[in-house]
Amino acid sequence: MRGRSDEVQKKRLVTSAVIATIFLVFLYVYQGSLFGSENRGSAALEYGSKSLRRFGWGDDADAEESSSKFTREDEEVAVVPKSFPVCDDRHSELIPCLDRHLIYQLRLKLDLSLMEHYERHCPPDERRYNCLIPPPHGYKVPIKWPKSRDEVWKANIPHTHLAHEKSDQNWMVVKGEKIVFPGGGTHFHYGADKYIAAMANMLNFSNNVINNGGKLRTVLDVGCGVASFGGYLLSSDVIAMSLAPNDVHQNQIQFALERGIPAYLGVLGTKRLPYPSRSFELAHCSRCRIDWLQRGGILLLELDRLLRPGGYFAYSSPEAYAQDEEDLRIWREMSALVERMCWKIAAKQNQTELWRHRVENYWNLLSPKIQSDTLRNLMDMKANLGSFAAALKHKDVWVMNVVPEDGPNTLKLIYDRGLIGAVHNWCEAFSTYPRTYDLLHAWTVFSDIEGRGCSLEDLLLEMDRMLRPTGFIIIRDKQSVVDFLKKYLSALHWEAVASEQDSDEVIFIVQKKLWLPNRSSRDTE
């Protein structure tokens, strides 16, 4: 009986095995017809597994595994964590490949003179943070463009170092919960928009518009600061790649991007910039502190690679540099270098030269009324860098350079140039006796006062108080200001001497008449 029972059991096992084999073959064929291959079938199963875990389903133990795993030969299934750890608050502005702390910790041997420490140095795998970067405390939804060009939330970029360091250059100003950008810069004394128009004028572009009728479109702004130059180019249908390193000027590029202006962290060091050859119509450097002569001019050769044929390199520096022997030497060597590179100087303008031309024009307009000894005490009511006074150094006069209290604080530079001056608010009276100046030079002073809401009549009376009888006032301002002033000439006992249009400004010269009060009426009073 045992023997027969074993035989029956064997037959049953064989039958079951055959059925199981047929079923598996059928399943294999079915999957193949449905998904095309075994590989795609397993991929679909894997995808389904991932989807379940992405929504928090599946085995919790699996969810703790690393999300960087992919399917291997042993068909290990990748998993996605339910959450990532949050980085320490100290890393709210982490730039992994531009982290100076990492450079110090890894003891990288870099040539600081070649700016290697500002180039990219990415951390090894074991030094990566692998955590979420938190926003700074008090972060707000950014202000929208175009309003963001002029102001951002201070909480989003809680750094005011530049506002204090560049307070005399109008880069940025802290006002309550916001940081505002007046459009100034190291060399944009009257705003980036006027600087851009002046550049277009130098190059003889039509209507002083920098895009030159659509011929100029892309700009590389090297050492861009907070990118006001690039920001104001946008209204002329010109787009700039604003470039600056992650250096001691805290977060320049972060400010630019928060404002909604194209910008990129980078430096001209030992590596080529990550842009194709012949990409830009204009490269711009405004006091960008780059040694263009280093290593045989290799950095200028990099600009040559990036500029399109017929492109421009605009290089500007403060006016005081024109008097410095070292800067004059650099300019001479740069001029010789670019000549060897087959570049040619399209236009050059020295501000000390600009004002010399303007002063000569003033004297021509005044010539019917003045002799060599007519003028002695002069005042420049908005002196800026003292260029008006510097242009008069060969005449037997002296100039009181007045720096507006609410404008760029350039008085130290004026004294460095061997000139004198004082800070003053023209909404108030100046500290001088009546009738003490022979000539007042008022360049956009009335426009400034009007913008601040101060009384233009009070300013006219103050100017009359300071001016000697037969003295002169040179007003350089917009046409609407001149039209306004003409209404007061009779009441002030002033008379017009000359008027002339100069670009978008009007030169208007008046003379104070010598007059005496009616003594009989004064005695009666």
Side-chain angles (χ1 to χ4, degrees):
M1 291 294 291
R2 177 184 295 177
R4 186 175 179 181
S5 176
D6 290 343
E7 185 177 351
V8 172
Q9 188 174 1
K10 287 180 181 180
K11 289 181 180 179
R12 289 177 178 174
L13 289 173
V14 170
T15 302
S16 298
V18 171
I19 292 173
T21 301
I22 293 172
F23 176 79
L24 289 174
V25 170
F26 173 79
L27 181 62
Y28 176 83
V29 172
Y30 176 79
Q31 285 183 334
S33 63
L34 184 61
F35 296 109
S37 70
E38 182 180 10
N39 289 337
R40 277 194 284 179
S42 61
L45 291 173
E46 180 187 348
Y47 175 80
S49 175
K50 287 182 179 178
S51 299
L52 291 173
R53 293 186 177 90
R54 183 177 296 119
F55 290 101
W57 300 335
D59 193 331
D60 288 341
D62 291 341
E64 295 177 0
E65 297 181 16
S66 171
S67 63
S68 64
K69 296 179 181 178
F70 293 93
T71 303
R72 304 173 185 169
E73 292 183 0
D74 59 0
E75 297 185 354
E76 182 179 356
V77 178
V79 294
V80 176
K82 291 182 178 179
S83 63
F84 283 102
V86 177
C87 298
D88 189 280
D89 288 346
R90 294 172 297 175
H91 303 305
S92 66
E93 292 165 352
L94 175 68
I95 311 172
C97 295
L98 294 173
D99 185 359
R100 287 195 297 275
H101 299 293
L102 177 69
I103 292 174
Y104 302 144
Q105 292 167 7
L106 296 180
R107 298 183 180 179
L108 301 180
K109 295 181 180 180
L110 305 175
D111 191 330
L112 304 187
S113 66
L114 300 183
M115 310 296 282
E116 280 190 289
H117 55 306
Y118 292 141
E119 294 179 333
R120 288 175 58 83
H121 302 281
C122 294
D125 290 348
E126 64 274 11
R127 297 299 299 268
R128 294 182 179 179
Y129 287 91
N130 295 325
C131 52
L132 298 174
I133 303 297
H137 179 71
Y139 182 86
K140 299 183 179 182
V141 174
I143 296 171
K144 304 304 181 184
W145 181 268
K147 191 176 180 180
S148 63
R149 187 195 70 175
D150 302 322
E151 62 182 25
V152 299
W153 293 116
K154 183 174 67 174
N156 291 11
I157 313 178
H159 299 282
T160 57
H161 172 73
L162 272 176
H164 299 302
E165 181 180 340
K166 303 293 183 180
S167 60
D168 61 335
Q169 297 169 19
N170 255 5
W171 280 30
M172 48 193 276
V173 180
V174 178
K175 288 189 176 180
E177 294 185 336
K178 294 179 179 178
I179 295 176
V180 299
F181 302 87
T186 303
H187 204 57
F188 312 153
H189 309 313
Y190 313 109
D193 52 346
K194 291 184 174 60
Y195 174 88
I196 292 167
M199 184 184 299
N201 179 265
M202 285 178 62
L203 295 171
N204 293 319
F205 290 171
S206 59
N207 300 319
N208 295 341
V209 178
I210 196 66
N211 71 9
N212 194 24
K215 296 176 183 177
L216 193 151
R217 167 64 179 162
T218 53
V219 172
L220 175 65
D221 187 16
V222 183
C224 65
V226 294
S228 290
F229 180 73
Y232 280 82
L233 283 173
L234 292 171
S235 61
S236 298
D237 196 26
V238 174
I239 189 166
M241 176 64 76
S242 298
L243 183 77
N246 182 30
D247 62 6
V248 293
H249 289 158
Q250 290 179 343
N251 304 68
Q252 299 173 95
I253 293 300
Q254 189 179 14
F255 280 114
L257 293 169
E258 183 74 12
R259 296 172 70 184
I261 301 171
Y264 183 80
L265 274 167
V267 65
L268 275 168
T270 65
K271 302 174 183 177
R272 282 186 167 182
L273 292 176
Y275 315 124
S277 299
R278 299 178 296 280
S279 297
F280 301 97
E281 283 94 16
L282 170 69
H284 174 253
C285 162
S286 174
R287 201 188 181 190
C288 54
R289 297 188 180 277
I290 292 177
D291 181 5
W292 295 107
L293 298 174
Q294 66 170 280
R295 293 174 285 164
I298 193 171
L299 301 184
L300 278 174
L301 290 174
E302 172 64 351
L303 287 190
D304 184 78
R305 179 185 74 84
L306 296 173
L307 282 173
R308 291 174 178 164
Y312 299 91
F313 173 43
Y315 175 75
S316 64
S317 62
E319 300 161 29
Y321 284 18
Q323 311 299 323
D324 184 83
E325 285 300 321
E326 176 63 14
D327 289 296
L328 289 172
R329 179 193 66 79
I330 292 173
W331 172 255
R332 287 191 296 268
E333 293 187 14
M334 277 189 65
S335 299
L337 175 60
V338 298
E339 185 176 353
R340 295 196 300 273
M341 293 168 57
C342 298
W343 290 12
K344 65 177 182 179
I345 297 177
K348 178 187 175 185
Q349 187 177 84
N350 186 305
Q351 291 290 320
T352 306
E353 292 177 4
L354 174 63
W355 277 102
R356 187 177 296 116
H357 169 74
R358 288 179 173 177
V359 167
E360 288 176 357
N361 188 40
Y362 291 162
W363 251 244
N364 289 335
L365 294 173
L366 286 167
S367 59
K369 294 281 188 176
I370 63 172
Q371 303 295 325
S372 59
D373 60 351
T374 302
L375 305 176
R376 176 59 184 171
N377 301 348
L378 277 60
M379 176 187 286
D380 191 359
M381 298 176 68
K382 185 179 177 182
N384 191 32
L385 300 177
S387 296
F388 173 79
L392 289 164
K393 65 180 181 180
H394 298 300
K395 297 187 180 295
D396 193 18
V397 300
W398 69 273
V399 179
M400 173 66 76
N401 293 283
V402 181
V403 175
E405 190 176 66
D406 61 335
N409 185 11
T410 56
L411 192 60
K412 178 63 168 59
L413 184 55
I414 287 173
Y415 276 90
D416 287 346
R417 299 184 71 178
L419 304 170
I420 60 172
V423 174
H424 180 65
N425 175 7
W426 282 117
C427 291
E428 302 171 355
F430 191 76
S431 296
T432 190
Y433 290 101
R435 302 170 300 282
T436 47
Y437 285 90
D438 299 305
L439 184 145
L440 305 177
H441 179 237
W443 181 28
T444 68
V445 174
F446 286 95
S447 290
D448 294 343
I449 290 296
E450 183 182 29
R452 295 179 58 192
C454 299
S455 170
L456 295 182
E457 291 185 1
D458 286 350
L459 180 59
L460 286 171
L461 291 171
E462 173 61 8
M463 293 170 72
D464 182 77
R465 184 187 75 87
M466 295 187 295
L467 193 64
R468 288 172 172 172
T470 72
F472 298 89
I473 300 176
I474 301 175
I475 298 161
R476 190 183 193 96
D477 217 312
K478 56 190 178 182
Q479 184 66 56
S480 60
V481 168
V482 173
D483 293 340
F484 171 84
L485 296 179
K486 286 180 178 179
K487 300 175 182 178
Y488 290 84
L489 294 184
S490 177
L492 292 166
H493 303 283
W494 295 358
E495 67 177 0
V497 172
S499 181
E500 183 178 274
Q501 187 78 31
D502 186 4
S503 187
D504 59 343
E505 296 175 332
V506 177
I507 302 169
F508 185 53
I509 301 179
V510 300
Q511 184 177 24
K512 179 179 177 179
K513 297 177 183 179
L514 174 59
W515 61 276
L516 296 173
N518 186 325
R519 295 191 179 276
S520 60
S521 62
R522 188 177 63 179
D523 293 342
T524 302
E525 291 175 1

